[in-house]
């Protein structure tokens, strides 16, 4: 082991990312599905943004929230994949200490932002279905802009303690991170100090932050379902519920993977490390890849516009 990995230091100049420990021989093969998912996420989310920008009929609150989600998905996947692929392809494992904390901040910030955008989208569905005559006066463009700004500021402030606390800890054991990216707990576990504050705050964000968002979404959908079941005909109920299908699919992909990954990392001591790392990557790749597919397939306006673009470009 190199001297830089064993010498005592307060703040290392660099960390060493191992990739997926135990599966180093398969890194190139693992990179194929990872790279494929990343390309799909990039193309899909940019397509959503392009279609909404080009089609003036889509310049309404529902699609503004969808654009916020697309930007968040692009940021989330891009915060980890380029470095992960450089490890897999070029064995480029070093990452500057400040760059590591920056990556930590943005990947957790975009994660929290995604959760809060789903809350905003649930509120949007609640207003449209439960107060259809007032939704144009409640969700005006300035209100949507303020909601987007609040999501960004709230996410940024909630995540800020992660890198601030991580920079304070002394790292006198090793600078080797058994991960593909600077995930919060993977970094602070290297500190030779009592990291209870970091650990408890991370757990607070998972259980309280995501759970609170989940409660808001659940309450919104309870009200939505009550409004749907009060409709006079089965066709009306199915049609109205169908407008929520995309949102429910995207929420399921995000929250199931987020809770599974976070709780397994903290409490699954018997689970192999490579499984923890693999699931952490999948959690930040699968939702950004699936969201544009879900909304592209299930949202008629986006689907029709996409087909129109392909037909006219092929002529």
């Amino acid at each position: 082991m190199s001297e830089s990995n064993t010498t005592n230091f307060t703040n290392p100049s660099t960390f060493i990312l191992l990739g997926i420990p135990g599966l180093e021989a398969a890194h190139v093969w693992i990179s194929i599905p990872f790279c494929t998912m990343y390309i799909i996420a990039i193309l899909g989310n940019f397509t959503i943004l392009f279609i909404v920008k080009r089609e003036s009929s889509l310049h309404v609150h529902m699609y503004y929230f969808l654009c916020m989600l697309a930007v968040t998905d692009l940021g989330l996947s891009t915060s980890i994949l380029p470095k992960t692929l450089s490890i897999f392809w070029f064995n480029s494992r070093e990452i500057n200490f400040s760059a590591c904390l920056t990556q930590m901040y943005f990947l957790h910030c975009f994660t929290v932002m995604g959760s809060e955008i789903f809350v905003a989208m649930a509120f949007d569905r609640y207003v449209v279905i439960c107060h259809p005559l007032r939704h144009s006066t409640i969700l005006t463009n300035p209100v949507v802009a303020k909601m987007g700004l609040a999501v960004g500021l709230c996410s940024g402030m909630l995540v800020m303690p992660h890198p601030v606390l991580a920079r304070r800890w002394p790292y006198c054991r090793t600078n080797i991170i058994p991960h593909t990216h600077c995930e919060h707990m993977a970094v602070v576990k290297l500190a030779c100090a009592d990291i209870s504050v970091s650990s408890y705050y991370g757990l607070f964000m998972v259980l309280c932050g995501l759970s609170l968002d989940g409660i808001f979404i659940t309450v919104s959908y309870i009200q939505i379902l009550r409004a749907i079941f009060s409709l006079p005909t089965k066709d009306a109920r199915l049609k109205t519920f169908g407008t929520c299908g995309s949102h429910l699919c995207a929420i399921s992909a995000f929250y199931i993977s987020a809770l599974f990954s976070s709780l397994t990392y903290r409490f699954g001591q018997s689970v192999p490390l490579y499984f923890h790392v693999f699931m952490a990557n999948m959690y930040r790749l699968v939702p950004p890849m699936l969201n544009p597919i879900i909304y592209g397939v299930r949202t008629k306006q986006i689907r029709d516009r996409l087909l129109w673009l392909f037909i006219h470009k092929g002529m």
Side-chain angles (χ1 to χ4, degrees), residues 38-314:
Y38 182 52
I39 291 171
I40 294 172
I42 293 292
L43 293 177
N45 286 292
F46 269 118
T47 300
I48 293 289
L49 294 171
F50 175 77
I51 290 175
V52 173
K53 183 178 185 299
R54 285 285 300 271
E55 185 59 50
S56 59
S57 64
L58 301 182
H59 293 177
V60 294
H61 47 86
M62 173 183 173
Y63 298 101
Y64 291 149
F65 288 128
L66 182 55
C67 286
M68 294 179 198
L69 182 63
V71 171
T72 301
D73 285 342
L74 288 169
L76 180 59
S77 55
T78 302
S79 66
I80 65 166
L81 245 293
K83 183 59 182 177
T84 298
L85 293 177
S86 73
I87 296 171
F88 289 170
W89 291 343
F90 310 113
N91 202 32
S92 176
R93 300 184 175 191
E94 289 193 0
I95 183 170
N96 181 272
F97 181 69
S98 296
C100 182
L101 297 185
T102 301
Q103 184 188 54
M104 176 199 298
Y105 174 78
F106 280 108
L107 73 91
H108 287 288
C109 184
F110 284 121
T111 300
V112 175
M113 197 178 299
S115 178
E116 293 178 350
I117 289 173
F118 281 126
V119 175
M121 295 173 83
F123 177 70
D124 169 62
R125 292 296 85 201
Y126 163 75
V127 173
V128 169
I129 293 173
C130 298
H131 303 283
L133 300 179
R134 298 176 53 203
H135 74 88
S136 59
T137 57
I138 295 175
L139 288 172
T140 61
N141 286 346
V143 169
V144 172
K146 290 176 183 177
M147 290 175 69
L149 181 61
V151 165
L153 291 175
C154 183
S155 303
M157 289 188 293
L158 278 175
V159 176
M160 184 59 71
H162 277 346
V164 171
L165 289 172
R167 185 177 286 277
R168 289 182 55 199
W169 307 132
Y171 297 88
C172 57
R173 296 194 187 105
T174 180
N175 64 342
I176 296 176
I177 302 174
H179 214 297
T180 59
H181 54 268
C182 293
E183 201 275 339
H184 172 243
M185 287 306 298
V187 173
V188 298
K189 279 184 176 180
L190 302 182
C192 52
D194 183 3
I195 60 167
S196 299
V197 175
S198 287
S199 181
Y200 287 141
Y201 187 76
L203 191 61
F204 163 78
M205 286 192 60
V206 172
L207 295 181
C208 296
L210 294 181
S211 297
L212 192 60
D213 289 346
I215 290 171
F216 285 142
I217 292 171
T218 301
V219 170
S220 296
Y221 270 96
I222 288 173
Q223 298 301 317
I224 288 170
L225 290 174
R226 288 178 59 185
I228 289 174
F229 285 122
S230 67
L231 295 174
T233 65
K234 182 180 179 179
D235 288 343
R237 290 194 290 270
L238 290 174
K239 183 178 180 181
T240 305
F241 186 75
T243 63
C244 303
S246 301
H247 188 228
L248 289 172
C249 290
I251 286 173
S252 300
F254 179 86
Y255 281 101
I256 291 174
S257 58
L259 288 174
F260 182 79
S261 175
S262 298
L263 295 179
T264 300
Y265 197 88
R266 283 174 170 79
F267 303 115
Q269 287 80 8
S270 61
V271 178
L273 179 59
Y274 67 81
F275 184 78
H276 287 295
V277 178
F278 186 81
M279 289 306 300
N281 281 276
M282 295 297 288
Y283 150 50
R284 292 185 169 94
L285 275 179
V286 173
M289 176 192 69
L290 287 181
N291 288 340
I293 296 174
I294 291 169
Y295 283 98
V297 170
R298 296 189 59 92
T299 306
K300 185 178 184 299
Q301 292 89 334
I302 292 179
R303 185 174 66 248
D304 290 348
R305 183 62 179 172
L306 187 59
L307 290 173
W308 184 88
L309 286 174
F310 275 118
I311 290 170
H312 280 260
K313 282 187 177 294

